[in-house]
Structure formats: C-alpha cells, structure tokens
Amino acid sequence: MNYDVAIIGAGIVGAACAAALASAGLSVVVIDSTGIASGTTAAGMGHIVVMDDSEAQFALTSYSQKLWDELSTELPPSCEYEHCGTIWVAADDEELSEARRKQEFYTSHGSTAELLDERSLRAAEPNLREGLAGGLLVKSDSVVYQLTATQFLINKAEQHGAEIRIGSAAAAITAEGVKLANGEVVSAGAVVNAAGVAAPDLSPGLKIVKKKGHLVITQRYPGFARHQLIELVYLRSAHASRSDSVAFNLQPRSTGQVLLGSSRQFGVEDEEIDQVILRGMTERAFEYVPGLRDLSAVRIWTGFRPTTPDNLPFIGKLPDSKSTYVAAGHEGLGITTALGTAELIADAILGRESAISPEPYLPDRNFAEH
Ligand SMILES: Cc1cc2nc3c(=O)[nH]c(=O)nc-3n(C[C@H](O)[C@H](O)[C@H](O)COP(=O)(O)OP(=O)(O)OC[C@H]3O[C@@H](n4cnc5c(N)ncnc54)[C@H](O)[C@@H]3O)c2cc1C
C-alpha cells in the first residue's frame, strides 16, 4: 500500500497531524509501537494556555488556542473541554509588576488579561492563602482531557480514511517511507516524525532531551478551585537552568478532582516517583493553598516532556530531506500546540500558506548550530 503520508506516533501531536492531513483528502497511515496517547500525552495536564515567553511561543499557542476553541463544538463531553481560565498568582509586589508586564504583553497582542488585587484574587479563589499580592486572570485559557481528545482526533482521521497501525514499531525512515522493526516497509510519499521524546532515534541529530515531571490527582472535591492556578515564577523555573525545580500549578478538573503539578528534572531516565521532588512540589502547593493538605490523593505519576534547546518545537521539513517532516519537541505545551502544529505540517506538505509564520519552528535551526 502506498500512502500519501505516514505518521510515526499516535500521541496528541501525531493524532492532530493525522486528522488535519486526512481531512485535507490525503491518504494517511499512523504507526505507533505502543498505543494511542500512550507516551508523554498520557502524562500531561491538559492546560491549553497562551504563553508570552517569546513572540514565536505566543504566535503558536494563541493560534492553537483559537483552533481548540473552534474544535470545541465538535468535542464530545468525554473530552472535558472547559474554559476555566488561568490565574497567574503573584505572591509579592515584585511578582505583581511581572503580572503587569504580562498584561501589557497580552493586551498589546490583542488578548485580554485582567489584573487582580489581593481582594479580587481571594474572591476568585477563596482557597488561596491570605496575603498574596494579586494575580493576572486570563479568561480565554482552557483545559481538555488530552487522552480522550487524542482518541477523538484519531477517530476523526479514521473517518476520513486514515489507517491506524498500533503495535508496529518504526525502525527507520527511508526514501521509500517507514521501515518497521519487523522488516516491512510502509511506503509513503511523505513521513511525519511525531515520535515525541523518541523522535531523535528516527531522525538522528535532532536535539530533543527528556525533562521529567510529576503530577498528583486527588479525589473529587467539586468547587475547591475554579481556575488553573500557577505561580508567576513558574516560567523562570520552567525554562531556566537545567537544575531540578518545582512550582505551584493547580488544575480543577470537571470531575471535581484537583490535578497538581509541577516538577522539572533533566538527565533523569527512570519513571520512578522521586519522593524528595514530590515533597518539594506538594509543600510548594501547600504554601499557596493550605487546604490542599486535607485532600486525599488517588494517583501520582511521572512523564517526560520532549525538550528542545530554545523551548520551541521542531515543526516542518528536515533539512536535506525531500519528504521527511518533524513534529516533535513540544516540551510542556504539546497539548496546547498540537492543533497549530498539525496545520503547519499540513500547510508544508500541501504547499499552502500558513496562518502564522512557520519560520521559528523549522527544524533547520537545530542543525544550523553545528
Ligand atoms: C507532567 C507533564 C505535564 C504537562 N502538562 C501539559 C499541559 O498542561 N499543557 C500542555 O499543552 N502540555 C503539557 N505537557 C506536555 C505534553 O504532554 C507533551 O508536549 C505532548 O503530550 C507531546 O505529545 P507528542 O505526541 O509529541 O508525544 P507522545 O505523546 O510521547 O507521542 C509519541 C508517540 O510516538 C510513539 N513512538 C515513539 N517511537 C516510536 C517508534 N519508533 N515507532 C512507532 N511509534 C513510536 C510512542 O509510542 C508515542 O505514542 C505536559 C507534560 C508532562 C510530562
């Protein structure tokens, strides 16, 4: 069988690419060694958030958020898509100035963000401790249950004729298409490497490393929190040094559960729960929301974010390749940016003009450093 496009990886990024390409009328096959949403996607938090840490990050996250909002009318209730909004919590006056800077950035880029003082912050989230300086409310951010959303995107691709091959490991990308571990060759006009943290195994030289994270989910406590709550220094800890870090990041689920993050560790390969990191992460959260101490956790897990040197994903054709595309390295924003990524990949393969400039995400910036 000769396909127009073979996609390696049925995480949220590969699934979104499959839905976009199959909807555009191309014949598509999705190949995954393990299962739909079985990799990093299974471990994520599902916060769809517009970020302002660079112009390119803002462009991709805000474009993708718009696409999620458009798709939300099609999403079944099992995808738990909710516009809970984000509050970036400022602990002191210094962080409140950061909130003001952030607000100016969003406003100057056409987004809306509302500054909260101490009193309005507590009114919005009564379980936050007293004495916090304020925060920034971004109402347009949302959450999705990324496992069912990935399945939804795969179903959508199948409805447009895509074939899904689970249990087939790709061993190599060749001029013909994809060579599987069992020796079979799946021939395709183009290949999309959406293998997440494993993408460099198939496209050697791609600079993607694992960044480990922990998450905790509680039993059901409806109304305990109303917004995604993130401490304002989160960005510093998210992108800064390569040393271990924890930050307060809380998500209310539509089930009434509270999902709690987050931690970041480089150079760690094992999936084990690190008790020191876990304690640091929960203690940090207790500083912001003391009542969390009384909630019961039902599950704790870890996952690996696929991280690139400049914190932007690789999206587009590999340099020196006629037909291999990469859609990988989405770090802690792959659920947010999956839909924008898929459009950029479809645009590149179909020769369409893109809604945002594809330049900042092209994989050749990775190779240009050598
Ligand atoms: C703790 C944590 C919290 C997060 N929170 C958020 C959040 O709130 N918001 C957000 O936007 N993002 C979040 N993320 C990031 C997000 O989860 C990832 O960026 C995203 O899931 C990456 O998706 P992917 O499809 O690229 O990779 P994956 O989900 O890892 O999919 C890759 C797939 O490729 C398959 N594969 C690999 N190698 C091969 C091979 N050789 N042959 C065949 N198949 C192969 C794997 O089986 C896997 O299914 C979080 C991540 C973590 C770890």
Side-chain angles (χ1 to χ4, degrees), residues 9 11-13 32-34 38 40-41 45 47 170 331-336:
I12 196 154
V13 173
D32 198 294
S33 52
T34 317
S38 60
T40 303
T41 299
M45 219 181 183
H47 184 207
E331 218 266 332
L333 287 170
I335 294 153
T336 302

Side-chain angles (χ1 to χ4, degrees), residues 4 6 23 25 56 68 73 89 96 113 130 159 181 210 215 222 236 242 244 272 280 294 318 330 333 366:
D4 291 326
S23 307
W68 273 112
T73 55
V89 181
L96 204 53
E130 283 177 33
Q159 281 153 18
K210 292 179 178 176
L215 290 177
R236 233 179 291 149
R242 304 219 141 204
D244 297 354
E272 299 302 305
D294 302 325
L318 273 183
H330 292 72
L333 287 170
N366 170 71

Side-chain angles (χ1 to χ4, degrees), residues 238-367:
H239 295 316
S241 66
R242 304 219 141 204
S243 54
D244 297 354
S245 64
V246 295
F248 166 58
N249 186 349
L250 182 155
Q251 181 177 98
R253 303 291 322 171
S254 63
T255 54
Q257 290 171 289
V258 177
L259 181 53
L260 198 65
S262 64
S263 67
R264 293 171 191 264
Q265 291 170 279
F266 284 97
V268 183
E269 291 286 326
D270 71 81
E271 295 175 0
E272 299 302 305
I273 289 159
D274 181 325
Q275 296 298 335
V276 175
I277 292 285
L278 180 64
R279 184 165 305 119
M281 189 176 100
T282 47
E283 287 295 337
R284 185 81 185 151
F286 298 158
E287 282 174 31
Y288 283 83
V289 182
L292 275 172
R293 285 183 188 276
D294 302 325
L295 310 193
S296 296
V298 289
R299 195 161 84 86
I300 302 166
W301 67 93
T302 64
F304 294 94
R305 303 174 185 88
T307 303
T308 66
D310 60 2
N311 299 307
L312 290 176
F314 295 123
I315 307 169
K317 201 195 279 182
L318 273 183
D320 305 327
S321 163
K322 282 207 185 88
S323 55
T324 304
Y325 297 78
V326 178
H330 292 72
E331 218 266 332
L333 287 170
I335 294 153
T336 302
T337 55
L339 300 185
T341 298
E343 287 306 311
L344 291 176
I345 288 288
D347 295 341
I349 291 176
L350 292 162
R352 301 184 310 210
E353 198 173 323
S354 296
I356 60 169
S357 168
E359 287 289 325
Y361 323 104
L362 292 176
D364 49 3
R365 74 186 195 280
N366 170 71
F367 293 87

Side-chain angles (χ1 to χ4, degrees), residues 211-231:
K211 200 197 272 184
K212 184 174 174 179
H214 288 68
L215 290 177
V216 179
I217 194 157
T218 70
Q219 286 182 352
R220 294 169 189 237
Y221 303 94
F224 185 83
R226 303 162 186 165
H227 307 83
Q228 179 105 16
L229 302 174
I230 311 183
E231 66 172 289

Side-chain angles (χ1 to χ4, degrees), residues 6-302:
I7 298 169
I8 305 169
I12 196 154
V13 173
C17 290
L21 289 162
S23 307
L26 298 186
S27 63
V28 171
V29 60
V30 181
I31 297 163
D32 198 294
S33 52
T34 317
I36 294 165
S38 60
T40 303
T41 299
M45 219 181 183
H47 184 207
I48 297 174
V49 55
V50 172
M51 298 294 273
D52 66 338
D53 50 336
S54 69
E55 292 288 343
Q57 200 67 280
F58 178 82
L60 186 60
T61 52
S62 57
Y63 174 45
S64 298
Q65 187 184 67
K66 184 176 135 280
L67 296 172
W68 273 112
D69 282 344
E70 284 167 14
L71 189 70
S72 66
T73 55
E74 289 177 47
L75 293 174
S78 61
C79 290
E80 297 174 17
Y81 190 81
E82 281 201 331
H83 265 292
C84 64
T86 305
I87 297 180
W88 297 90
V89 181
D92 53 28
D93 287 345
E94 192 192 347
E95 289 181 13
L96 204 53
S97 350
E98 170 61 9
R100 273 192 209 96
R101 188 210 55 76
K102 219 169 159 57
Q103 184 194 30
E104 275 162 28
F105 182 95
Y106 287 128
T107 312
S108 67
H109 287 70
S111 296
T112 313
E114 188 187 325
L115 212 57
L116 305 177
D117 60 15
E118 181 180 350
R119 188 184 295 199
S120 46
L121 176 68
R122 287 265 297 160
E125 288 293 345
N127 277 314
L128 281 170
R129 75 164 161 85
E130 283 177 33
L132 294 164
L136 187 70
L137 169 61
V138 184
K139 281 190 182 151
S140 48
D141 288 345
S142 47
V143 298
V144 70
Y145 186 41
Q146 73 279 0
L147 271 80
T148 44
T150 304
Q151 185 65 57
F152 168 85
L153 291 165
I154 289 287
N155 294 349
K156 187 169 177 170
E158 279 184 303
Q159 281 153 18
H160 287 89
E163 285 181 38
I164 314 300
R165 294 186 56 165
I166 302 300
S168 302
I173 298 171
T174 67
E176 286 74 43
V178 180
K179 187 174 180 200
L180 301 182
N182 65 7
E184 185 193 339
V185 173
V186 178
S187 47
V191 176
V192 179
N193 179 352
V197 290
D201 298 346
L202 298 161
S203 303
L206 209 54
K207 282 195 190 165
I208 295 177
V209 296
K210 292 179 178 176
K211 200 197 272 184
K212 184 174 174 179
H214 288 68
L215 290 177
V216 179
I217 194 157
T218 70
Q219 286 182 352
R220 294 169 189 237
Y221 303 94
F224 185 83
R226 303 162 186 165
H227 307 83
Q228 179 105 16
L229 302 174
I230 311 183
E231 66 172 289
L232 252 174
V233 291
Y234 173 82
L235 269 188
R236 233 179 291 149
S237 91
H239 295 316
S241 66
R242 304 219 141 204
S243 54
D244 297 354
S245 64
V246 295
F248 166 58
N249 186 349
L250 182 155
Q251 181 177 98
R253 303 291 322 171
S254 63
T255 54
Q257 290 171 289
V258 177
L259 181 53
L260 198 65
S262 64
S263 67
R264 293 171 191 264
Q265 291 170 279
F266 284 97
V268 183
E269 291 286 326
D270 71 81
E271 295 175 0
E272 299 302 305
I273 289 159
D274 181 325
Q275 296 298 335
V276 175
I277 292 285
L278 180 64
R279 184 165 305 119
M281 189 176 100
T282 47
E283 287 295 337
R284 185 81 185 151
F286 298 158
E287 282 174 31
Y288 283 83
V289 182
L292 275 172
R293 285 183 188 276
D294 302 325
L295 310 193
S296 296
V298 289
R299 195 161 84 86
I300 302 166
W301 67 93
T302 64

